[in-house]
Amino acid sequence: MLILKSVNFEQQEFQTHQLKASYSGQTEWVIGRNTTCDLVLTSPEVSRVHGRIVYIGDSYYFVDVGSASGSLLNGETVLADTPQPIHSGDLLQLGETFLHIEALSVSLQNESSNTATAIVLPTQPWATEDLLCRCCRIIDETPDVKTFCFVADPLVLFCYQPGQFVTLEVVIDGKPVLRCYSISSSPTRPYHLSLTVKRVPRPANQPELPPGLVSNWLHDHLKVGDRVKIIGGAMGQFTCLPNLPAKLLLISAGSGITPMMSMLRWLYDTLATCDIIFLYSASSPEDIVFRAELETLAAQMPNLRLAITVTQPVKQTWMGLTGRISQSLLPLVAPDLCDRSVYVCGSEGFMQGIRSLLESMKFPMQQYHEESFGGQPSKPISLQPAPEREQSDSTLIKVKTLPPAALSVRNGKGSPGDHLLPIQPTYKNGDSVVHFIQSDRQVVVDGSASILEVAELEGIPIRHACRVGACGACKVEVRQGQVRYQTLPTALSIAEQQAGYALSCVAYPVNSVTIDA
């Protein structure tokens, strides 16, 4: 049996269809405009007999029988009279009509009876393992924002906290690239996971992995049916759980609405009674992400107050707020501001602005929370020595030490003719020496660069994603020496620290440090 959902945006028609085996053991279904077809589609772009779905050897296939307007399967043209295998989650396009395959059974043995075939649902919860996921739906939220909906392959129940993020791995130009994205779906709907992604223009001064590389690739290349990998489980401390505040103020801008929407959907699904103010800033009415859903939730949730402000001149009728979030706007939206727990997400500049604004208004900052991943490469750094600096404002982590005889690297950047030398720290005036064992490099730096930044400058590959110590992708083993953190990274456990591991994106060398990279 197949369950298909047909969508024709031109005619505003949305229908669900079931194709079942008849008593004679039917294994072929005809699709077209003719009323004698098993699946009748009334769109004029659909031929009278457009295609067939056939069941052969425990698999389903779609065949275009030479239709006038042609057929697409997951965005790829289907050649006439060429069977193409179809699976749950695939998307067929016949003219202007889309057919989404919601579910299919792999056996017709019992379908000749009048008993409905059960759909197998996942029972295995997802914890921390890597997960291969298939894109089953892509939703255009605004002109530059899309939501990508995924199911696991094989199926699992997605378990996470609303507001957390995942690390996505995609292959671009033959190379795996990692990027962190907040989850926009709610764990109360565990059968799929959604990521809402904004297209990001390339900066004029392009680094090796510029901001927007993965986001733009998803917009331009990911299709329904494609597969991507999620590295590890969901991560992050940006969530309203487990201690749900009695009063919430959720402030976001642009694509920063993503984790807020996950929390709001959770609050709606669980019938939470806390008092919620949802304040969102967009450039224009056309740029309001999830606008229709937000308005529906506001109408259905008596404990939700929705406030949306647009920052650019409005070219159409707009009855909402205008201007940036300011000292005059905040009390208007939230008169009891200081009684609320505030959650903020947006660009780094936006969050810094809100943070400074709240501090100037004497807001109790222990009630302030902001999203902490998504950092970008810092400005170019120098490998020249700098005066010695105080370390009292940072956290010093000491890791295990191996005998010097076990640690030999090339002197300088190394070449095939260089001889191997035992490590001899030669820092002075606050310098640090970073030794990369696998790459046979040792580099003198001034302590202002993280280990990851030093590795990037030297062309030494270290896998990374968030760059702010939140995802754990850049974990490396420190074989000798000490590293320091401004604050302890959330993605590194005490046991991992004691075992000699560090997060290279936020770990800074202290004197001589040896890294297994």
Side-chain angles (χ1 to χ4, degrees), residues 350-361:
F350 174 80
M351 292 192 295
Q352 176 61 49
I354 297 297
R355 192 185 314 122
S356 300
L357 177 61
L358 291 173
E359 289 174 343
S360 69
M361 298 175 68

Side-chain angles (χ1 to χ4, degrees), residues 434-478:
V434 183
H435 306 265
F436 296 97
I437 297 177
Q438 295 182 23
S439 303
D440 290 345
R441 307 270 185 89
Q442 55 179 330
V443 187
V444 178
V445 296
D446 66 3
S448 65
S450 69
I451 291 172
L452 175 60
E453 291 171 323
V454 175
E456 288 178 325
L457 288 172
E458 292 294 305
I460 298 170
I462 295 180
R463 191 178 75 164
H464 61 278
C466 73
R467 305 186 72 97
V468 290
C471 72
C474 67
K475 183 170 61 178
V476 294
E477 184 179 6
V478 182

Side-chain angles (χ1 to χ4, degrees), residues 162 186-189 240 244 248 250 260-274 276 278 293-304:
S186 168
T188 51
R189 310 171 196 181
C240 58
L244 182 63
L248 282 169
L250 307 180
M260 306 303 190
M261 204 64 193
S262 179
M263 288 191 273
L264 185 60
R265 285 167 170 164
W266 183 91
L267 293 163
Y268 173 80
D269 288 345
T270 59
L271 302 181
T273 59
C274 61
I276 312 158
F278 196 102
E293 184 177 358
L294 285 170
E295 292 171 348
T296 299
L297 292 176
Q300 295 179 355
M301 297 177 67
N303 56 325
L304 169 64

